[in-house]
Amino acid sequence: MPTALITGAARGLGLGLARRFLDAGWDVIAAVRDTSAAPLVALRSGHEDRLSVERLDLSDFGSIDACARSIGERPIDVLIGNAAATSVSDRGFGQTDYDDWAAMMRVNTFAQLRLAEAFGDHVARSQRRIMYFVSSRVGPEPAPGLIAYRSSKSALNQVVLQLALLLRERGVCVACGHPGFVQTDATRGRGTFTVEESSGRLFSLIERLQLADSGKFFEPDGSELPIVTRQTNPHAAGGVPIGSA
Ligand SMILES: NC(=O)c1ccc[n+]([C@@H]2O[C@H](COP(=O)([O-])OP(=O)(O)OC[C@H]3O[C@@H](n4cnc5c(N)ncnc54)[C@H](OP(=O)(O)O)[C@@H]3O)[C@@H](O)[C@H]2O)c1
């Protein structure tokens, strides 16, 4: 059976994804801060043979590396970077809390790259070779406010694009997307989609990803949004080396 590693699988969308992958017969590694979280313990009963739980705190890169070591040589078909800091303190222009912003960038952006670095070999040695990062269309949206969250997700999109380029030769597909407006703690239960609906859509999308989809940003309905705008160096697409233009 293929294996999916899902970060933040103790609640919210991550828990829904873990349940969805298990329902489809996959083996799941839930990488979470609290390995004894009640919803996860409940999910384990009945799935002890296919659901394993690992400790992972994205704000601590040592914890990411320790999690990768603990998994050993086991191949990971799908790595899902779902966990994120979603609680945004937005005090407005002139009142920016730069420490909060740095903490959010560390978890939502830097740690996602570290995940890919720590688990790159596990994914590359698997059958499916997929990395999928849960981003947000709020990131590149031209609307005022939420600068910390928006910039952390916009930067994540660029990380995904870079990973797609860097890991292509190893046959690894790296994609990201928006899960929809989902009823979780992050949205205080508001949202257009239930966790079950969103994780069902994401499962269908992730399961059919191929190398040709690498570097893409997907909407919940499977349509694509451009991951970067064309404001970049027009010669770059032709392969102009960095620093020469
Ligand atoms: N809900 C939406 O409408 C929506 C919309 C767009 C994008 N998203 C994205 O979807 C993903 C899941 O969101 P959600 O709505 O399920 O959010 P949520 O209810 O706030 O849950 C966040 C998850 O991330 C984990 N997490 C936070 N900081 C962490 C850290 N330092 N290390 C490890 N895990 C950490 C939490 O673990 P603990 O249980 O330990 O706190 C929790 O499992 C996020 O990437 C979010 O940005 C959500």
Side-chain angles (χ1 to χ4, degrees), residues 7-15 31-34 37 56-60 81-87 107-108 134-138 149 153 156 177-187 190-191 195:
T7 65
R11 64 184 167 101
L13 191 56
L15 180 67
V32 298
R33 282 193 289 201
D34 178 4
L56 176 101
D57 182 344
L58 290 170
S59 63
D60 172 5
N82 160 77
T86 56
S87 158
V107 170
N108 294 4
V134 183
S135 185
S136 173
R137 71 179 327 209
V138 163
Y149 185 70
K153 291 295 190 179
L156 170 63
H178 179 62
F181 185 34
V182 191
Q183 296 160 14
T184 64
D185 294 342
T187 60
R190 294 171 298 139
V195 164

Side-chain angles (χ1 to χ4, degrees), residues 90-139:
D90 189 2
R91 301 189 202 154
F93 183 69
Q95 305 290 323
T96 305
D97 185 326
Y98 289 93
D99 290 336
D100 266 15
W101 188 358
M104 190 164 259
M105 291 297 292
R106 184 170 179 84
V107 170
N108 294 4
T109 311
F110 307 159
Q112 308 301 323
L113 179 61
R114 186 63 168 237
L115 264 184
E117 290 180 331
F119 292 98
D121 288 343
H122 299 79
V123 175
R125 73 168 73 96
S126 75
Q127 292 279 318
R128 307 269 181 125
R129 285 181 277 183
I130 293 168
M131 295 187 186
Y132 183 87
F133 294 87
V134 183
S135 185
S136 173
R137 71 179 327 209
V138 163

Side-chain angles (χ1 to χ4, degrees), residues 2-237:
T3 299
L5 184 147
I6 304 167
T7 65
R11 64 184 167 101
L13 191 56
L15 180 67
L17 283 167
R19 187 175 288 120
R20 189 65 193 81
F21 274 83
L22 285 168
D23 285 349
W26 286 55
D27 290 347
V28 170
I29 302 170
V32 298
R33 282 193 289 201
D34 178 4
T35 55
S36 59
L40 198 54
V41 172
L43 186 62
R44 268 209 99 188
S45 73
H47 295 110
E48 291 88 350
D49 51 336
R50 289 193 293 116
L51 175 61
S52 47
V53 179
E54 295 285 338
R55 197 181 168 279
L56 176 101
D57 182 344
L58 290 170
S59 63
D60 172 5
F61 290 179
S63 149
I64 299 175
D65 297 344
C67 180
R69 278 196 304 276
S70 157
I71 281 159
E73 299 291 304
R74 184 173 175 185
I76 295 172
D77 293 88
V78 173
L79 171 72
I80 303 181
N82 160 77
T86 56
S87 158
V88 186
S89 79
D90 189 2
R91 301 189 202 154
F93 183 69
Q95 305 290 323
T96 305
D97 185 326
Y98 289 93
D99 290 336
D100 266 15
W101 188 358
M104 190 164 259
M105 291 297 292
R106 184 170 179 84
V107 170
N108 294 4
T109 311
F110 307 159
Q112 308 301 323
L113 179 61
R114 186 63 168 237
L115 264 184
E117 290 180 331
F119 292 98
D121 288 343
H122 299 79
V123 175
R125 73 168 73 96
S126 75
Q127 292 279 318
R128 307 269 181 125
R129 285 181 277 183
I130 293 168
M131 295 187 186
Y132 183 87
F133 294 87
V134 183
S135 185
S136 173
R137 71 179 327 209
V138 163
E141 212 169 57
L146 304 181
I147 190 166
Y149 185 70
R150 286 186 200 284
S151 59
S152 72
K153 291 295 190 179
S154 291
L156 170 63
N157 296 347
Q158 181 59 225
V159 166
V160 166
L161 188 59
Q162 289 298 317
L163 285 170
L165 296 170
L166 293 167
L167 298 181
R168 192 175 186 83
E169 66 184 21
R170 299 184 74 185
V172 177
C173 167
V174 190
C176 64
H178 179 62
F181 185 34
V182 191
Q183 296 160 14
T184 64
D185 294 342
T187 60
R188 296 191 194 92
R190 294 171 298 139
T192 320
F193 296 110
T194 64
V195 164
E196 289 69 28
E197 288 165 343
S198 176
S199 46
R201 281 170 180 250
L202 275 180
F203 173 78
S204 305
L205 172 73
I206 292 169
E207 213 208 3
R208 64 168 190 268
L209 285 175
Q210 299 187 341
L211 195 53
D213 299 312
S214 204
K216 292 182 178 174
F217 182 109
F218 291 96
E219 286 277 55
D221 66 1
S223 60
E224 291 169 38
L225 280 182
I227 206 164
V228 288
T229 62
R230 283 276 163 208
Q231 64 189 10
T232 46
N233 174 3
H235 306 296

